[in-house]
Amino acid sequence: MKDFIEGVWHPVIDEDKCTNCDFCYEFCPKGVYTKDNEKVVVENPSSCVDGCHGCEWQCPSGAIRFPEPITKEYVTKVIRWSKKKNKEVSSKFLDYVLKNQIIEECEINRETKA
Ligand code: SF4
Ligand code: SF4
C-alpha cells in the first residue's frame, strides 16, 4: 500500500525515514498497520479514523504523513465519499472540523442530505 486513496483519510509511511520501530503498529487501535516480513506496512487504510493523527505523533522518525491538509474541500470530499460507501463520517472528525471552523455546520448538513 504505497499510494493515497482519494478521499480516504489514512497514513502513508515514508520508507526512507521509517526505522521499523513498531510504535505505530503497536499504537493504532484500529488495525490499520500490519507486519510484513518484520516490516510495518499500512494494510487496512479504510479502517483509519478520519482526522486521527495518533500514530503520526508516536513516530520518532517523522515517517508518517496523511493525504492532504484538512480543508473545506477535503471535508466535503470525505462526506461525499462516505455517503457513496454508505459509511458514517466519524463524529470525532466532524467535531474537529467544526471546532477549527474549517466548515460550517449548515454546509455539513447540506452535504450529508444532498
Ligand atoms: S491515524 Fe489513528 S486510526 Fe489511523 S492509523 Fe494512525 S492511529 Fe490508527
Ligand atoms: S512509528 Fe514511524 S519509524 Fe516506527 S515503524 Fe511506524 S512509521 Fe516506522
Side-chain angles (χ1 to χ4, degrees):
M1 227 298 307
K2 286 196 175 130
D3 300 315
F4 292 137
I5 299 175
E6 179 88 10
V8 183
W9 181 261
H10 64 86
V12 169
I13 297 176
D14 182 336
E15 291 178 12
D16 292 336
K17 291 185 182 167
C18 178
T19 57
N20 255 351
C21 70
D22 286 2
F23 285 3
C24 57
Y25 169 72
E26 285 168 8
F27 177 81
C28 177
K30 295 293 179 182
V32 171
Y33 296 99
T34 191
K35 298 287 292 281
D36 180 13
N37 286 330
E38 297 307 306
K39 197 171 163 44
V40 177
V41 293
V42 177
E43 174 74 6
N44 300 303
S46 56
S47 298
C48 187
V49 177
D50 292 331
C52 178
H53 284 265
C55 54
E56 180 185 12
W57 294 331
Q58 300 297 313
C59 178
S61 314
I64 296 175
R65 62 195 172 95
F66 289 86
E68 46 195 303
I70 304 180
T71 59
K72 186 173 163 179
E73 290 69 33
Y74 177 74
V75 177
T76 304
K77 203 156 74 174
V78 168
I79 294 171
R80 288 181 186 167
W81 181 85
S82 300
K83 269 191 74 180
K84 204 168 139 194
K85 297 280 176 187
N86 225 5
K87 276 181 57 167
E88 292 262 320
V89 181
S90 78
S91 55
K92 197 170 143 202
F93 177 66
L94 293 178
D95 287 349
Y96 174 88
V97 299
L98 286 170
K99 194 169 150 217
N100 289 282
Q101 301 179 322
I102 295 165
I103 189 168
E104 299 287 331
E105 191 158 11
C106 59
E107 292 174 286
I108 291 179
N109 291 337
R110 196 165 53 232
E111 281 299 332
T112 308
K113 286 177 190 145

